[in-house]
Amino acid sequence: MSHPTAQEQILDFVRGRYPQAEIDAAQDIFALGFVNSLFAMELVMHVEKTFGVTIPNEELRIDNFRTATAMAGLVARLSPTVAAA
Amino acid sequence: MTLVAPVPVQVVDRRSARAFVDAHVVPYADAYDRIGRVPEDLLRHVAAAGLWAPFLPPESGGAGMDLVTLGEVHEEVGRGCSSLRSLLTVHTMVAWTVQRWGTPEQRARWAPGLAAGTTLGAFCLSEPGAGSDTSAIATTAVEGGGGWVLDGVKKWTTGGQRADLFLVFARTAASIGAFLVPRSAPGVRVTPIEDMLGTRASMLAEISFDGVVLGPDALLGPSSGFTAGMVLTGTLDLGRYSVAAGSVGIVQACLEASAAYAACRRVGGRPLAELPLIQAKLSDMVTDARAARLLLAEAGRLKDAGDAGTIMATWIAKYFASTAAVRHAAEAVQIHGANGCSPDYPVARFYRDAKVMEIIEGSNEIQRITIAGQAERETTR
Ligand SMILES: Cc1cc2nc3c(=O)[nH]c(=O)nc-3n(C[C@H](O)[C@H](O)[C@H](O)COP(=O)(O)OP(=O)(O)OC[C@H]3O[C@@H](n4cnc5c(N)ncnc54)[C@H](O)[C@@H]3O)c2cc1C
């Protein structure tokens, strides 16, 4: 069985929180209008815990979190081994 | 009148916290409530016991205490005195935020004093025109001259009369920023707020900032809108956790006071404790104290694991514990009859303090809206 990619795992998390929305990896989740600061915090915590990374302040830019693809890219920069998996 | 006992113990867990609170807080809390402040001696004892910010890592001067244990410690403090617990809460929020979002330089500058309690922190979000609706804050931080200029008025700042360092949320051009503002900065004015309903010794103040010039290093975290919301959410999350813990402490205090009173007070030749209606009240206190404690522990466990679920778990723990505190404080007064309305027993204080817990760190209404929002999402899954 193959492991889900970072992008798939992130997408699962977002979809789990907002099952009524149709979200793909390229979807700008902030443009959907339901992201509040609570969810933003949950998102950051989820990425940090799931991939064992610490996101430095300078990477905490909205562009890094707009889409599952962008978040997976961030994870890849912070932790190359995770990205390769 | 002596208001504190000598020789504090080091607080490292619930047991030592309980011993500290029984020795240094419980006997004097009613007096603090009456004089409307926590005396300096006790603040020093709290420092000597290592209680101000034990969760900070050792390199920042803390003890690396996990958050489950911190919750237990704040519960014990809340059992003794909600005013002192409130001071710990806002200090905790400031210390945690510096640790979580500060640059190495900001941490080096502020964390050791916050850990030692030589720098006391306070949290400034609410304003005369903005409470639940944080987006309505009118305090501004304008970038210029390589730093910031802060203008506005903050209200209901717990510990504001005494704090050395204010964590101030202000509107910036881009969004809302979190700023570290020393009390000593020119243009900062502190006006005490006296005679509140509850947590009367928590030294509330209105703080005005009149053209306060700050360096670039006053800003915590990057100034993008995305993170500003997160700094605030994270700070409030920890504050909510501490208030939940304090509320569990109030329920426990109500239980202990009521059980002791019911065992001694006799009506019709029998102790109150033998009357079924009184037993029903006591059993509900026992049950809710345990349930609230478990919700708190769950939220703490998720925090220690870095699990995003902690934020909702903390909302739920705070909602349950604060409403339980109000319910049981009312019943504790009831069990004490006229004595419960008098200054001779602590339950009148618990009753007044408990009400505050339903308003601060997200009022009951806001909690219900947030928790129901989650329920709606889960059921449409
Ligand atoms: C003892 C004490 C200590 C405090 N310490 C601090 C502190 O240290 N720092 C700080 O920044 N603030 C502090 N506060 C302020 C506290 O955070 C606010 O009181 C709280 O956020 C509520 O805001 P408000 O009082 O302006 O009430 P409002 O926001 O005006 O609300 C009034 C009522 O309307 C309800 N309501 C509001 N919005 C909605 C809605 N959308 N739907 C349904 N009902 C709603 C509220 O629940 C409340 O019952 C303190 C307050 C007290 C009493």
Side-chain angles (χ1 to χ4, degrees):
Chain A
M1 202 180 81
S2 70
H3 289 293
T5 63
Q7 184 174 298
E8 283 164 355
Q9 290 183 63
I10 292 166
L11 210 46
D12 265 3
F13 179 75
V14 178
R15 283 180 180 146
R17 289 299 155 114
Y18 295 99
Q20 71 279 31
E22 290 192 4
I23 304 169
D24 61 31
Q27 173 75 53
D28 180 346
I29 57 172
F30 289 82
L32 293 171
F34 55 57
V35 174
N36 55 22
S37 56
L38 196 158
F39 179 65
M41 181 83 188
E42 290 176 334
L43 200 55
V44 171
M45 288 182 77
H46 179 75
V47 169
E48 289 193 335
K49 180 176 157 61
T50 307
F51 305 106
V53 297
T54 302
I55 305 171
N57 277 356
E58 60 274 14
E59 293 281 15
L60 284 166
R61 286 177 280 107
I62 193 164
D63 287 339
N64 279 335
F65 293 86
R66 274 193 197 285
T67 65
T69 308
M71 285 184 257
L74 173 67
V75 170
R77 285 201 301 285
L78 295 175
S79 172
T81 49
V82 172
Chain B
M1 177 168 52
T2 310
L3 286 181
V4 283
V7 203
V9 293
Q10 272 295 306
V11 170
V12 292
D13 54 14
R14 180 192 287 282
R15 216 166 131 257
S16 47
R18 180 165 261 269
F20 176 88
V21 170
D22 284 342
H24 299 281
V25 182
V26 169
Y28 314 104
D30 284 325
Y32 303 156
D33 187 64
R34 244 161 266 146
I35 63 172
R37 69 187 160 80
V38 173
E40 286 298 315
D41 277 358
L42 179 57
L43 299 180
R44 276 195 292 275
H45 283 3
V46 169
L51 254 171
W52 283 114
F55 55 89
L56 288 176
E59 61 271 22
S60 291
M65 181 183 278
D66 62 85
L67 292 181
V68 169
T69 305
L70 187 78
E72 293 172 352
V73 168
H74 283 205
E75 179 200 324
E76 289 299 331
V77 175
R79 179 179 60 82
C81 174
S82 290
S83 290
L84 177 61
R85 201 271 312 136
S86 294
L87 296 177
L88 267 188
T89 298
V90 292
H91 184 83
T92 296
M93 293 164 84
V94 176
W96 181 86
T97 306
V98 167
Q99 180 63 32
R100 172 67 181 84
W101 297 101
T103 60
E105 295 74 30
Q106 285 169 323
R107 286 206 295 270
R109 179 172 175 197
W110 297 112
L114 290 165
T118 48
T119 301
L120 292 192
F123 166 74
C124 301
L125 176 64
S126 304
E127 300 183 358
S132 309
D133 180 10
T134 54
S135 67
I137 65 168
T139 297
T140 55
V142 175
E143 208 165 358
W148 301 87
V149 180
L150 192 67
D151 280 284
V153 178
K154 293 293 178 180
K155 202 167 180 184
W156 317 118
T157 306
T158 295
Q161 292 178 34
R162 175 60 181 75
D164 309 290
L165 182 64
F166 300 114
L167 176 63
V168 182
F169 287 83
R171 204 160 275 296
T172 61
S175 64
I176 288 177
F179 295 87
L180 289 169
V181 185
R183 181 203 195 93
S184 57
V188 176
R189 200 173 70 242
V190 175
T191 309
I193 300 174
E194 314 276 7
D195 222 6
M196 295 294 285
L197 169 74
T199 60
R200 290 170 63 86
S202 63
M203 300 185 278
L204 259 62
E206 178 174 295
I207 321 282
S208 62
F209 304 93
D210 186 7
V212 177
V213 176
L214 302 168
D217 60 347
L219 179 71
L220 265 180
S223 64
S224 76
F226 180 56
T227 42
M230 271 192 306
V231 175
L232 182 55
T233 303
T235 307
L236 285 171
D237 174 61
L238 206 63
R240 209 166 281 134
Y241 181 65
S242 172
V243 171
S247 300
V248 180
I250 293 176
V251 178
Q252 182 65 32
C254 289
L255 169 61
E256 291 175 14
S258 299
Y261 189 81
C264 299
R265 176 75 179 176
R266 300 180 77 82
V267 289
R270 303 201 282 164
L272 282 180
E274 288 181 11
L275 305 179
L277 282 173
I278 301 297
Q279 289 173 337
K281 296 182 201 301
L282 292 174
S283 62
D284 286 356
M285 288 182 194
V286 171
T287 312
D288 279 352
R290 289 204 186 186
R293 197 170 285 128
L294 285 173
L295 288 173
L296 182 78
E298 173 68 355
R301 189 185 62 72
L302 292 169
K303 285 187 200 313
D304 286 327
D307 190 313
T310 188
I311 297 178
M312 188 48 65
T314 302
W315 277 101
I316 292 168
K318 195 266 183 177
Y319 177 60
F320 186 85
S322 63
T323 50
V326 169
R327 233 173 15 251
H328 295 307
E331 293 292 33
V333 172
Q334 196 69 18
I335 290 170
H336 283 69
N339 279 327
C341 302
S342 80
D344 300 337
Y345 290 83
V347 290
R349 171 169 54 89
F350 301 157
Y351 184 57
R352 290 182 285 98
D353 288 347
K355 187 62 208 166
V356 172
M357 305 311 134
E358 290 193 327
I359 294 172
I360 55 173
E361 307 295 347
S363 69
N364 268 7
E365 287 71 23
I366 301 300
Q367 290 168 46
R368 283 173 163 155
I369 291 167
T370 311
I371 294 166
Q374 162 101 340
E376 193 190 338
R377 284 201 303 272
E378 283 182 351
T379 49
T380 52
R381 213 171 256 190

